Amino acid sequence: MKHGKKYVDAAKLIDRTKLYDTTEAVETVVKTATAKFDETIELHVKLGVDSRHADQQVRGAVVLPNGTGKKIRVLAICKGENEKIAQEAGADFVGAEDMTQKIQQENWMDFDVLITTPDCMGLVGRLGRILGPRGLMPNPKAGTVTPDIARAIKEAKAGKIEYRLDKTNIIHCPIGKASFGAEKLQENLDTLMGAIVKAKPAAAKGQYIKSCAVTSTMGPSIRINPTKFGA
C-alpha cells in the first residue's frame, strides 16, 4: 500500500520494533496527527477470548473523564412523564411510536445514541434489523435501556462510550481528539482500559490483553506494552 507524505513522515517518529508505555505512546500519537482537521485518537485492543462463546463476551460502557470531543445526538424513546424528563435532560429527539415509525418508514438515522426505558423495548425491538447492524440497538449492559433515562442521557452527552468485541476479538474505541493533548487522552485511555480489564470474563484463560495500540485517524499505529495493564 502506498502512503502519502504526511503518513510516511509520521511513521518515521515510531519505532516499529518497540512496545511503548502508555505515556510515550499517547505523546507520540499526538505528534503523528498532522492532518488539517482535528483527528480522532483511537484505541484498539485484541483480547485473549473467543467471542463465539457467550461466556467470553466482553461488552460494556464507560464515561470518559474528558469526553470524546464529538457532539452526541441522543434519541430518547419513552412515554408519559419520561418524555418531559428526557427533554429536560438534554435529549435531541424524544418520542415513542412516532420516532420508531420515522426510522422504519423514512430510514431516519440522524442520531448517535438511542436510549429507551424498559417499557418501550417492545417498540424498539421491532427496529433490531435496522439498528443492530449499525451498532445502535439499546442494551441494558451498555446502560441504554434503563428506567433512569435522565442519567443515561447526561452520561451519553458527557462522553459515555460503548466497548464491545468484534468478530476478530478486537475492541475499537475512540478516546478523544488530537487537540485534547497527551494528558487528557491518557486519562481517557486509562479509564477505558480499566473498564476492559474489569470486564474480563471468568471463562477467559491465559493472557487476557493480547495486544494494544493507539492511532490517529490518518496516522500509523503505535503499539503499547500489554503487560502494563496486568491482565
Side-chain angles (χ1 to χ4, degrees):
M1 183 183 293
K2 189 174 181 180
H3 293 291
K5 183 178 182 299
K6 286 187 177 182
Y7 182 99
V8 172
D9 289 343
K12 292 176 182 177
L13 300 173
I14 301 166
D15 182 350
R16 293 290 188 182
T17 66
K18 179 179 177 180
L19 291 176
Y20 288 75
D21 64 35
T22 55
T23 302
E24 191 177 5
V26 171
E27 289 173 349
T28 304
V29 80
V30 171
K31 292 176 184 176
T32 66
T34 57
K36 292 181 180 179
F37 61 93
D38 192 5
E39 295 184 52
T40 296
I41 306 301
E42 302 167 357
L43 177 67
H44 304 273
V45 187
K46 185 171 181 62
L47 301 182
V49 297
D50 189 341
S51 61
R52 293 174 297 177
H53 300 290
D55 62 351
Q56 293 187 47
Q57 285 291 329
V58 178
R59 181 176 184 176
V62 63
V63 178
L64 299 180
N66 300 298
T68 62
K70 179 181 178 182
K71 184 180 183 298
I72 302 299
R73 299 165 299 172
V74 176
L75 165 61
I77 292 183
C78 52
K79 295 180 178 180
E81 185 65 23
N82 280 323
E83 289 194 47
K84 182 181 178 182
I85 292 172
Q87 289 170 343
E88 291 176 348
D92 299 273
F93 311 100
V94 180
E97 287 89 349
D98 56 333
M99 300 309 296
T100 57
Q101 287 175 8
K102 188 176 178 70
I103 293 169
Q104 285 178 309
Q105 296 171 9
E106 302 175 24
N107 199 32
W108 178 75
M109 286 287 163
D110 294 340
F111 57 92
D112 303 297
V113 178
L114 194 162
I115 297 170
T116 189
T117 48
D119 62 313
C120 284
M121 268 309 291
L123 278 175
V124 178
R126 302 171 196 168
L127 305 174
R129 290 185 179 180
I130 301 171
L131 300 176
R134 294 174 171 83
L136 292 169
M137 192 66 183
N139 184 285
K141 287 186 178 179
T144 46
V145 180
T146 173
D148 191 351
I149 199 163
R151 179 181 176 183
I153 291 166
K154 289 173 182 176
E155 287 182 342
K157 289 284 189 178
K160 186 175 187 177
I161 60 166
E162 182 179 357
Y163 57 87
R164 61 188 299 181
L165 287 174
D166 67 9
K167 291 180 180 178
T168 60
N169 305 314
I170 300 175
I171 290 173
H172 311 271
C173 280
I175 56 169
K177 298 287 186 178
S179 60
F180 282 18
E183 185 176 342
K184 287 184 177 180
L185 287 169
Q186 175 147 11
E187 287 176 0
N188 281 356
L189 185 153
D190 290 343
T191 299
L192 176 57
M193 284 304 302
I196 293 172
V197 170
K198 192 175 179 180
K200 179 180 179 180
K205 305 297 180 184
Q207 186 177 352
Y208 179 52
I209 308 292
K210 288 284 190 179
S211 65
C212 182
V214 287
T215 181
S216 59
T217 305
M218 304 296 290
S221 63
I222 301 162
R223 296 190 302 156
I224 296 172
N225 188 346
T227 61
K228 299 288 183 181
F229 304 107

